[in-house]
Amino acid sequence: MSKKANDQSFEGITQKFAKNIYATPKGQLRLAVLERDLAPLFQRAPPLRVLDVGGGIGQFSEAFAKHGHNIVHTDISAEMVTTAQQRHQQHDLAEQYSYHVASLQQLPELLRGQTFDVVLCHAVLEWLAQPEQAIAVLKSLLAAKGTLSLMFYNRDAKIMANMVFGNFDYVEAELVVKKRVRMSPQQPIAPAAMEQWLAAAQLAVLQRTGVRCFHDYLRDRDAASERFEQLLRLEMKYNQQAPFAALGRYQHWQIVHAD
């Protein structure tokens, strides 16, 4: 199955993406939260089979590799996959990996019916033209007692942040702009919609975490860098509690088969 023309790839801007996302407090917070949430899975034995869907430059799965688990790293961008390979080689982790350049939609055919103990799909669905259809694909890749680690861009939080900063026209226009910004997710997903999609697929949410519950509402953005450790502690303290978890710019949900 070929990639849909209007699914987003970061081919050609890998370094820009890494600099603007991963090398900033917001990217560091995202990684720290994921590592905290997924830590119980790192400790499991025997070695788990892990699939990283849209794995980018490969940093999210590295904690699994460091604990001896085996990872299949995939991304729609060949440049991203090459960069991930180079990164893993530099960290002496490449032996734990295999790599494929492929879209999410191509994976069932490419992997020939394989299923995985852990499927990572972090910040991918909001870049797809039809994110709802991805849920069935992800379920087909998940082993019977496996865990899907799903992180998605929260539409509700995007509305809240834009209201806080006075972007009333943008919110009134349903977050639609005439000119898209390439590095701005095109399909933010409302958690209520995600709940419906998962229920229809007979998938159940075990744990919900908000990612960047406070960071994205800071009026003084310099505080994120200048007081990062304190901000991180507070994010970790409150990001699984109501009402703060629902305000996370991203939602990280751990999901299993309901049937």
Side-chain angles (χ1 to χ4, degrees), residues 38-201:
L38 297 175
L41 295 176
F42 303 155
Q43 308 300 329
R44 289 191 183 176
L48 299 174
R49 284 181 45 78
V50 180
L51 173 64
D52 195 356
V53 180
I57 64 173
Q59 80 282 31
F60 291 134
S61 62
E62 287 177 1
F64 284 98
K66 290 174 183 176
H67 284 80
H69 302 298
N70 300 315
I71 300 104
V72 177
H73 177 98
T74 72
D75 199 276
I76 200 170
S77 164
E79 183 180 70
M80 283 281 193
V81 172
T82 297
T83 301
Q85 288 179 291
Q86 293 170 345
R87 177 186 172 94
H88 296 151
Q89 289 166 359
Q90 291 168 0
H91 290 81
D92 295 321
L93 296 172
E95 290 186 0
Q96 304 302 127
Y97 283 88
S98 59
Y99 301 89
H100 297 283
V101 178
S103 68
L104 180 150
Q105 298 95 331
Q106 291 173 308
L107 292 178
E109 181 178 353
L110 177 69
L111 298 173
R112 299 180 182 276
Q114 296 179 64
T115 59
F116 295 82
D117 303 302
V118 180
V119 176
L120 309 176
C121 186
H122 298 154
V124 174
L125 267 59
E126 59 265 23
W127 301 103
L128 303 182
Q130 297 178 303
E132 180 179 0
Q133 295 182 6
I135 299 300
V137 176
L138 293 170
K139 182 181 180 182
S140 75
L141 298 165
L142 188 64
K145 295 184 179 181
T147 299
L148 168 61
S149 171
L150 182 67
M151 187 173 71
F152 61 93
Y153 194 60
N154 181 0
R155 189 177 192 275
D156 295 348
K158 186 171 185 179
I159 291 172
M160 183 67 180
N162 276 280
M163 289 302 297
V164 167
F165 289 98
N167 299 323
F168 302 160
D169 291 344
Y170 182 45
V171 173
E172 201 161 47
E174 299 292 336
L175 308 180
V176 175
V177 293
K178 293 180 180 179
K179 183 178 180 181
R180 288 194 180 277
V181 178
R182 189 174 182 189
M183 294 181 64
S184 179
Q186 63 185 32
Q187 290 275 37
I189 300 167
M194 180 61 73
E195 291 272 13
Q196 292 177 356
W197 300 349
L198 294 173

